[in-house]
Amino acid sequence: MKIAFFSTQPYDVTFFNKENKQFGFELEYFETGLEEQTVGLVTEDTDVVCVFVNDKVDAEVIERLAEKKIKYIALRCAGFNNVDLDAAHKHNIRVCRVPAYSPEAVAEHTLAMLFTLNRKIHKAYNRVREQNFSLNGLLGTNIYKKTVGIIGTGNIGSVFCRMMKALGTEVLAYDVYPNKALEADGTVRYVELDELFTKSDIISLHCPLTPETLHIINEENIQKMKDGVMLINTSRGKLIDTHAIIQGLRNKKIGALGIDVYEQEEKVFFRDLSGTILEDERLQLLTSFPNVLVTAHQAFFTDEALTQIAFVTLDNLKQLSTTNEIVGRVAEL
Ligand code: NAI
C-alpha cells in the first residue's frame, strides 16, 4: 500500500520511517500542504493520503482524490475540521484519525503556558540574560484557590481538569456531553457557559472546532468575563475571534492570553519565516503584547506523542485494509 504524506516535516519522516518497519508500507513524503493546487502530486498508484491539521481536504480536493482512486484519508492528528467528511463519504473514501495519542502532552503544554504567563517566565528569561535582575513587573498570583473554567472535557480537557484540581483550584467545566466520572469524583462542577465565563480567573479551551464552537470566544462572551482573566487556547485557532481578543487585551479585560493555535495559522505555523517580514499584522500585534504567549501548534510535540501518532496512523490503515474496520479506538470518521 502506498501512502502520500503532505505537510511533511523532518520529524514526521523520522517517526513514520521508524514505526513503518513493522508495517512495510511504501511512504512518499511531500513538504507542501494538500490543497487544490497540490493534489496533482498524488500519483495513480497511491492508495492513501496522510494529512495534518492545516491541509485543506475540501470537496474539490476530495473529488480529485476520488478520480485518482484514493481509498483512505489518514489524519495524523485528532482534530478533523479540515476534512469535508460528507464529500469523502459520498466518494467512498474512508477517513481515519488518531483520536487520543497523548492527551497528557497537550494538557502539559497548556499548563506550561498558564505558568509562564502567570509568573512571566518569558520575560524573566530574557531579563536575566541581559543581567537585569530586577523583579519589577514580574508579579504573579497564586494559582492555588483560583477558579479555572474548562470548555470541553474530553481526552485532553479531562486530563487538564485533574491537573488543575491537583493544584488546589476550583474547576468549573462546560461540555455538551459532561464526563460523569469527573463530576462523580469531585474534580469538576459542570456549569452553564455563562457561569463559567463570569466566575473563572483562568479559562482554557479544549473543545473541537465545530459550527457551534466557531468564535466561542467573541466580543459578547469576553464582556461576561472577569477583568484580567487569563485565556488559554491549545485547541483550534478559530475558537477565538482574533479581532475581539485584541480589543479585549487592549481594554485590559483579558489579562493574559496563551495561544498554541491561531485563526490564520495555516499561512505561518510550521514554517521558518525568521528572514521575512511577517505579513499577518494581527499575529505581529499579538506577539508584541507582553502578556501574550504564542507557540506555533506545538502542544502535541513530544517524543511519546509522535511515536503514538505514527504507530496509530499506520495501524489504522493496516486494520482498514485487512479487516475493513478499526477495532479498539474511535478512529474512523
Ligand atoms: P475529544 O473529542 O476527546 O474532546 C472534545 C470534547 O469537547 C468532548 O468532550 C466534546 O463533547 C466536547 N465538545 C464538543 N462540542 C462542544 C461544544 N459545543 N461546547 C463544549 N464542549 C464541546 O478531543 P480531545 O482529544 O480532547 O481534543 C480537543 C481538541 O484539542 C481537538 O479537537 C483539537 O482541536 C485540539 N488538539 C490540539 C493539539 C495541539 O497540538 N495544539 C493536539 C491535539 C488536539
Side-chain angles (χ1 to χ4, degrees), residues 101 106 154-156 174-175 206 208 213 234-236 260 297 300:
Y101 45 86
V106 182
N155 289 308
I156 298 166
Y174 173 76
D175 194 307
H206 298 286
T213 60
T234 53
S235 277
R236 283 293 178 266
D260 185 52
H297 211 133
F300 73 101

Side-chain angles (χ1 to χ4, degrees), residues 82-229:
N82 53 332
V83 179
D84 188 329
L85 292 177
D86 291 340
H89 295 156
K90 189 179 118 194
H91 289 287
N92 285 324
I93 298 179
R94 298 177 72 175
V95 185
C96 56
R97 64 171 180 142
V98 186
Y101 45 86
S102 178
E104 293 78 13
V106 182
E108 286 171 13
H109 188 78
T110 310
L111 195 61
M113 296 193 99
L114 187 161
F115 279 128
T116 302
L117 284 165
N118 179 43
R119 303 303 289 267
K120 303 176 178 60
I121 304 295
H122 53 309
K123 297 180 77 177
Y125 173 79
N126 285 326
R127 273 193 195 186
V128 170
R129 281 168 65 92
E130 291 178 8
Q131 299 178 29
N132 175 354
F133 302 107
S134 143
L135 298 184
N136 294 325
L138 298 184
L139 190 68
T141 63
N142 283 8
I143 298 299
Y144 179 62
K145 291 218 163 155
K146 291 289 181 297
T147 301
V148 182
I150 297 175
I151 302 179
T153 51
N155 289 308
I156 298 166
S158 59
V159 172
F160 190 64
C161 285
R162 293 196 193 284
M163 287 178 175
M164 294 318 294
K165 187 68 184 176
L167 290 170
T169 65
E170 184 188 359
V171 186
L172 304 180
Y174 173 76
D175 194 307
V176 281
Y177 298 106
N179 177 332
K180 292 199 169 56
L182 277 181
E183 200 167 36
D185 66 15
T187 303
V188 306
R189 183 161 69 82
Y190 279 97
V191 295
E192 289 304 317
L193 205 46
D194 272 2
E195 186 177 347
L196 186 147
F197 284 138
T198 52
K199 291 197 174 151
S200 300
D201 302 296
I202 299 163
I203 297 173
S204 191
L205 308 179
H206 298 286
C207 54
L209 176 64
T210 63
E212 293 74 40
T213 60
L214 174 75
H215 287 181
I216 193 166
I217 304 300
N218 53 26
E219 194 183 341
E220 190 188 342
N221 286 335
I222 290 171
Q223 281 317 312
K224 295 173 193 161
M225 295 177 194
K226 277 187 170 179
D227 289 345
V229 63

Side-chain angles (χ1 to χ4, degrees), residues 20 63-64 99 103 121 137 166 187 191 226 261 285 316-317:
N20 193 42
E63 190 149 353
R64 298 280 308 280
I121 304 295
T187 303
V191 295
K226 277 187 170 179
V261 286
L285 188 61
N316 282 343
L317 292 167

